[in-house]
Amino acid sequence: SEWRRWDLHVHTKGTMKEDQFSSENFSDFCLTIFRKALENKIAAIGVTDYFSIRNFLGVRNYVNDIENVNEFSEEEKNNIREIFLIPNVELRMLPVTSAGSLVNIHCLFNPSFVDCIEEEFFANLCLSGSDQNKGHRNGLIKLGRRDDPQLSEDGAYRNGIRLFAVDPNQLKDLLDKNKGFRENVIIAVSNSSGDGASGFKEHYEYFEGETYSSLDEVRRSIYRLSDCIFSSTPNDVDYFIGKRADNPSEVIRKCGSLKPCIHGSDAHKEEDLFNPDNNRFCWIKADLSFNGLRQILYEPFSGDRVSIGQIKPYLKNSYKVINK
């Protein structure tokens, strides 16, 4: 396993919300994203969209057809083929934060599971408080048109995504009952102050306190079902591995497990691709595979398998190196 740079939160042209990409078409966007990926030596990309893997499939198809793209050299084409693409489905989940937004949950899927996502995942999601409105495309269109019957199909789809919110218990039931889904997904909770799970207050401050309401308990349940945290904040990195006021046992009691922090650029325009705030790059020491990524869940401590910072980690503990 080698330290490589992973960006697990990248939106694309055509993303369902806040699409600020200026590329003329999706093919031109793919040319740009892979140019930038090569320049920044990106080894893995989490292609992200809300309630959808459509753009992940578009990026993957572009790579599968890279031989016919004349703008790259043969060496560049080979390097692009080596980039690990992983679908990142972003969901909005109850409860509403103090900023008036929903909690963000990211589902990082095994790429080999994509053919099952529609049936095993989206079709099993229901709008919170309803058994009728499903999370697949037809269900979202129906929801969007119920709100505004005059919308076009695409407009209704986008409106349905805006309105759709998942109950955390629903996702927990799916994880508990569907072994195939559980084994092919990594759940990451966002902690952004605007619409992440810590939108009520600073994330680590919330957990280090003991006084909380019934609504706080709902938020804690979201953390318990998550595997890792989208955050580059040093205090968050330290808290979730038990290096702040709460020791590891206390973190496990409150959050269900110790959790690694991962990060991405959350790009919604070309200039932000692989350009996270404060140059807080995400480095992961693992094979370029879904199982490689899962390894950070078993070794969550910063510097073991995952590290966030501008400089690539180079040191390895000698007792973890196999000589022969």
Side-chain angles (χ1 to χ4, degrees):
S1 299
E2 301 293 336
W3 285 106
R4 300 178 178 92
R5 192 174 157 199
W6 298 46
D7 191 322
L8 293 167
H9 190 183
V10 179
H11 289 267
T12 64
K13 183 175 180 62
T15 187
M16 290 293 106
K17 291 187 178 184
E18 300 178 38
D19 184 358
Q20 301 172 44
F21 294 103
S22 59
S23 298
E24 187 171 338
N25 52 54
F26 196 80
S27 181
D28 286 348
F29 168 79
C30 288
L31 180 65
T32 299
I33 192 174
F34 284 113
R35 279 277 180 224
K36 287 182 172 286
L38 294 174
E39 291 169 4
N40 289 279
K41 297 182 179 179
I42 303 298
I45 302 173
V47 182
T48 307
D49 208 355
Y50 304 93
F51 294 89
S52 174
I53 59 167
R54 182 186 64 177
N55 290 333
F56 165 81
L57 295 175
V59 174
R60 189 177 69 172
N61 289 340
Y62 183 89
V63 174
N64 289 340
D65 196 41
I66 196 70
E67 188 59 41
N68 296 318
V69 180
N70 297 324
E71 287 81 358
F72 294 110
S73 68
E74 287 303 313
E75 181 181 2
E76 289 172 331
K77 290 177 182 179
N78 288 332
N79 290 337
I80 289 171
R81 292 187 187 100
E82 293 296 317
I83 295 174
F84 177 52
L85 301 176
I86 183 168
N88 179 351
V89 176
E90 189 166 353
L91 308 176
R92 296 301 173 93
M93 183 169 289
L94 295 176
V96 175
T97 69
S98 58
S101 300
L102 300 178
V103 172
N104 281 7
I105 284 282
H106 295 258
C107 296
L108 297 159
F109 283 101
N110 187 339
S112 66
F113 191 69
V114 292
D115 292 338
C116 303
I117 290 177
E118 186 72 20
E119 180 178 346
E120 304 248 357
F121 183 50
F122 292 132
N124 286 305
L125 293 179
C126 296
L127 176 68
S128 183
S130 169
D131 293 330
Q132 303 300 316
N133 295 108
K134 300 292 187 178
H136 50 49
R137 180 177 175 87
N138 288 339
L140 292 168
I141 291 172
K142 180 180 177 181
L143 175 63
R145 281 188 170 150
R146 189 182 71 182
D147 178 64
D148 185 348
Q150 305 303 316
L151 290 173
S152 65
E153 181 174 303
D154 187 62
Y157 180 50
R158 291 177 179 272
N159 193 40
I161 287 175
R162 180 182 67 83
L163 296 169
F164 201 94
V166 179
D167 189 301
N169 290 325
Q170 190 180 145
L171 185 56
K172 183 179 184 303
D173 287 343
L174 189 56
L175 291 168
D176 291 341
K177 295 176 181 178
N178 190 324
K179 182 179 179 183
F181 174 71
R182 171 69 273 181
E183 291 178 347
N184 287 284
V185 67
I186 294 171
I187 307 293
V189 60
S190 167
N191 82 325
S192 66
S193 59
D195 57 2
S198 63
F200 297 85
K201 62 169 73 174
E202 284 295 322
H203 164 66
Y204 67 92
E205 293 176 342
Y206 160 72
F207 274 101
E208 287 178 350
E210 283 295 342
T211 302
Y212 58 93
S213 66
S214 59
L215 185 59
D216 294 328
E217 184 58 32
V218 176
R219 283 176 290 173
R220 289 195 176 194
S221 70
I222 294 175
Y223 283 100
R224 292 189 191 109
L225 65 82
S226 69
D227 300 303
C228 55
I229 308 296
F230 259 118
S231 176
S232 64
T233 305
N235 285 328
D236 292 344
V237 173
D238 287 344
Y239 177 80
F240 275 104
I241 55 176
K243 289 190 174 181
R244 281 189 55 84
D246 289 341
N247 61 32
S249 296
E250 189 66 4
V251 172
I252 292 171
R253 182 183 73 83
K254 292 180 178 180
C255 306
S257 65
L258 300 181
K259 303 178 193 296
C261 285
I262 57 177
H263 194 43
S265 55
D266 191 13
H268 282 263
K269 50 188 175 182
E270 282 85 355
E271 50 265 42
D272 289 343
L273 289 168
F274 315 122
N275 186 29
D277 292 341
N278 301 315
N279 292 324
R280 288 175 173 170
F281 306 142
C282 182
W283 306 92
I284 293 177
K285 182 163 70 90
D287 292 335
L288 293 172
S289 67
F290 184 74
N291 281 337
L293 178 59
R294 283 184 65 173
Q295 192 61 30
I296 69 172
L297 310 184
Y298 310 119
E299 300 178 72
F301 290 94
S302 179
D304 281 356
R305 287 283 178 178
V306 60
S307 179
I308 295 175
Q310 186 171 0
I311 306 301
K312 175 181 178 180
Y314 285 98
L315 296 177
K316 292 186 177 182
N317 292 325
S318 60
Y319 67 89
K320 293 184 179 180
V321 176
I322 299 171
N323 293 317
K324 62 181 178 179

